[in-house]
Amino acid sequence: MEKLTIRDVKTILTAPEGINLVVVKIETSEPGLYGLGCATFTQRYLTVANAVEQYLKPFLIGKDAHRIEDLWQTAMVSSYWRNGPVLNNALSGVDMALWDIKGKAAGLPVYQLLGGKCREAAAVYRHADGRDVQEVEDNVRKYMEQGLRFIRRQMGGYGGGGRLPGRRKTRSPALTTIRMLTPGASPGCLTIFEIKSALSRSRCTMFTSGSRRSKRCGWRSSWSLTGYFFWKIRSRRSSSIGSG
């Protein structure tokens, strides 16, 4: 079989629903065979695109498209400073695109190349938003009727920031939503809240304590801290807390 080489590397910038996305497209020496990968860093998308176009593209052109591990390792150590969200997202896009190419060349979905299935399905969650508690609750009920077991509840926009008409920005609407919706929650439904790393250590502790009576309540990105403090808070809560 003739060697499959990388012919071109492109970045595609798009913004469906106002969300900045970066897609890496790698074209190969075989006509029509290409791969796509996600390199999205929504807040610094132009920086990622520049890293791909100016640094990774010249390195990748002409290389063997099947040597994914070798390319990743070499690209990672090719700069003096390594890691960081820009380089990691750029490399992720390249890595996904190369695996996409390998799967297409083999005529198999990538998960088969990585060992095959380990489950028949994966759980998903939906966002139940609303301008007030009643609208949030109506949307929660709608998703529960569809059989969803994980529902993220928020009021006043993405992250539950409390951006309601006539009110200054506050986090209290999210807590109000918890208190109003918990009593009628389905026993088979896990509640998820995300408040986008907007709380200090002390306010995060107060906020999670306010939801104590909710036994099936999950938190994601409650505050912009990791490490010791995250585990300290988590050890004192009965609800699930995720940091990311």
Side-chain angles (χ1 to χ4, degrees):
M1 181 179 178
E2 188 176 346
K3 184 179 179 180
L4 185 68
T5 59
I6 296 173
R7 185 176 66 84
D8 198 6
V9 179
K10 302 176 180 178
T11 54
I12 302 169
L13 302 182
T14 184
E17 299 184 2
I19 302 174
N20 300 311
L21 304 180
V22 183
V23 179
V24 174
K25 181 178 181 179
I26 297 181
E27 299 177 352
T28 69
S29 55
E30 183 175 323
L33 180 58
Y34 64 88
L36 299 173
C38 177
T40 296
F41 181 6
T42 56
Q43 293 80 21
R44 299 293 185 272
Y45 59 99
L46 292 177
T47 310
V48 174
N50 188 66
V52 174
E53 293 282 355
Q54 299 300 319
Y55 299 101
L56 295 181
K57 177 178 178 177
F59 164 73
L60 292 167
I61 298 295
K63 297 292 198 304
D64 187 341
H66 284 306
R67 298 184 64 168
I68 299 175
E69 183 65 20
D70 181 32
L71 293 176
W72 190 95
Q73 294 287 351
T74 307
M76 172 58 77
V77 301
S78 65
S79 60
Y80 186 81
W81 299 109
R82 305 164 192 171
N83 293 311
V86 174
L87 179 59
N88 283 348
N89 276 288
L91 275 174
S92 292
V94 169
D95 193 57
M96 288 184 223
L98 291 173
W99 277 104
D100 189 24
I101 291 169
K102 188 177 286 288
K104 290 174 179 176
L108 292 169
V110 173
Y111 73 80
Q112 293 287 17
L113 302 178
L114 299 176
K117 288 184 178 181
C118 61
R119 60 181 62 85
E120 293 302 317
V124 299
Y125 74 90
R126 295 295 302 272
H127 294 213
D129 197 4
R131 291 164 294 185
D132 52 41
V133 171
Q134 186 59 53
E135 187 175 3
V136 175
E137 184 168 3
D138 291 343
N139 287 326
V140 168
R141 302 297 175 194
K142 179 183 69 175
Y143 290 135
M144 287 170 56
E145 291 171 359
Q146 295 175 10
L148 283 153
R149 297 187 298 113
F150 304 93
I151 302 173
R152 179 171 134 178
R153 306 173 185 187
Q154 59 196 35
M155 185 170 64
Y158 184 64
R163 297 178 185 274
L164 304 178
R167 298 186 184 181
R168 64 183 177 86
K169 184 178 179 182
T170 174
R171 290 294 163 183
S172 60
L175 188 54
T176 300
T177 309
I178 301 168
R179 290 170 174 166
M180 293 295 289
L181 295 178
T182 298
S186 167
C189 179
L190 174 67
T191 300
I192 304 169
F193 294 92
E194 179 170 13
I195 46 182
K196 303 309 296 179
S197 305
L199 300 181
S200 65
R201 299 183 181 186
S202 59
R203 286 190 62 80
C204 181
T205 305
M206 293 168 59
F207 198 90
T208 53
S209 296
S211 62
R212 183 170 297 175
R213 65 174 176 168
S214 178
K215 299 302 182 182
R216 299 187 62 79
C217 174
W219 294 92
R220 181 179 178 272
S221 298
S222 301
W223 63 95
S224 54
L225 297 168
T226 56
Y228 172 74
F229 184 71
F230 168 74
W231 294 110
K232 185 176 180 181
I233 291 291
R234 187 172 183 178
S235 67
R236 298 181 180 182
R237 299 297 305 127
S238 59
S239 54
S240 300
I241 303 177
S243 178

